[in-house]
Amino acid sequence: MLRRLCAYERTLPGRFPDCRKATMTRRSSSSQAPRRPTGWRRLVARLPVHLFHVGLGPALGKRLLLLHHTGRVSGRRRQVVLEVVAHDSRHGTWTVASGFGPKADWYRNLRQHPRTVIQFGNRRYAVTARFLSPDQSADAMARYESRHPWLAQILGAVTPLPTNGNEESFREAARSLPFVRLEVREGHHPR
């Protein structure tokens, strides 16, 4: 029952005070990434992929991109929608983070096949994945937190990241998340 109430606590902060202590204890004792969604939650999580397929990528704004990746074992083409942590249109880069840690399939697939394609809005770009160091990841997270403080608070509430709301705690939490910079390959223009 406490677990169910704590799930509501994440969406309605302050309503269930006993959950704060249980959540903080769980977070501090566990550094593992959140579990992947299953069942109806997986269907909801995959909905943005389908929106990109029917041409509604631009409706998702500049906060999401569709990453095409190749399965490292199967060789099959896969797709996932990721939140853009940072975008530099002048240099043609997008920075994304793996909220499920280094074991996320898309992240492991990019490690194997770093040259891929993304869709941002209604345009496709040929990109190469560059994997950021923990310090570079911390810098990216600090910039994200300063631009989107309320989203960073939500991120801290729904993941096991040990954050207390200040910049340094977000920097420290980001050191445990793998960040990837997707860079437009030279000579490849939007398709």
Side-chain angles (χ1 to χ4, degrees):
M1 181 66 172
L2 181 60
R3 182 187 299 165
R4 188 175 295 158
L5 288 176
C6 290
Y8 291 117
E9 168 65 17
R10 286 186 215 120
T11 57
L12 302 168
R15 298 282 175 113
F16 306 100
D18 293 340
C19 292
R20 191 68 155 146
K21 189 183 301 178
T23 304
M24 294 303 285
T25 303
R26 183 174 44 87
R27 282 189 194 152
S28 61
S29 66
S30 171
S31 62
Q32 67 186 31
R35 288 192 301 219
R36 296 178 193 164
T38 58
W40 68 269
R41 288 182 178 97
R42 185 176 192 283
L43 289 173
V44 170
R46 299 286 300 166
L47 180 62
V49 172
H50 300 296
L51 293 175
F52 271 98
H53 286 195
V54 297
L56 295 176
L60 299 174
K62 297 188 182 283
R63 307 226 0 128
L64 301 173
L65 62 78
L66 179 68
L67 172 74
H68 298 259
H69 54 104
T70 304
R72 65 198 172 284
V73 175
S74 69
R76 293 178 63 189
R77 305 235 348 123
R78 308 283 186 192
Q79 298 174 333
V80 64
V81 172
L82 301 170
E83 181 182 6
V84 175
V85 174
H87 171 55
D88 183 347
S89 58
R90 205 173 78 210
H91 294 102
T93 65
W94 295 263
T95 303
V96 295
S98 176
F100 291 106
K103 293 189 178 184
D105 286 328
W106 70 265
Y107 181 80
R108 294 168 69 194
N109 291 343
L110 276 186
R111 281 282 196 193
Q112 187 87 21
H113 306 285
R115 294 171 64 108
T116 190
V117 174
I118 63 167
Q119 183 177 339
F120 187 64
N122 60 358
R123 301 182 111 176
R124 290 177 178 247
Y125 300 88
V127 297
T128 301
R130 305 276 183 235
F131 300 90
L132 303 185
S133 71
D135 287 338
Q136 291 170 320
S137 297
D139 291 342
M141 185 63 170
R143 287 190 298 272
Y144 176 83
E145 191 273 334
S146 68
R147 283 192 315 274
H148 309 289
W150 65 276
L151 284 173
Q153 292 294 330
I154 291 171
L155 180 67
V158 299
T159 65
L161 297 175
T163 62
N164 64 9
N166 67 24
E167 179 183 328
E168 190 51 42
S169 71
F170 280 105
R171 292 177 69 81
E172 190 56 40
R175 286 184 177 90
S176 65
L177 288 178
F179 280 67
V180 180
R181 182 170 297 126
L182 303 166
E183 302 172 349
V184 172
R185 292 199 300 261
E186 204 167 305
H188 286 79
H189 298 288
R191 300 188 278 166

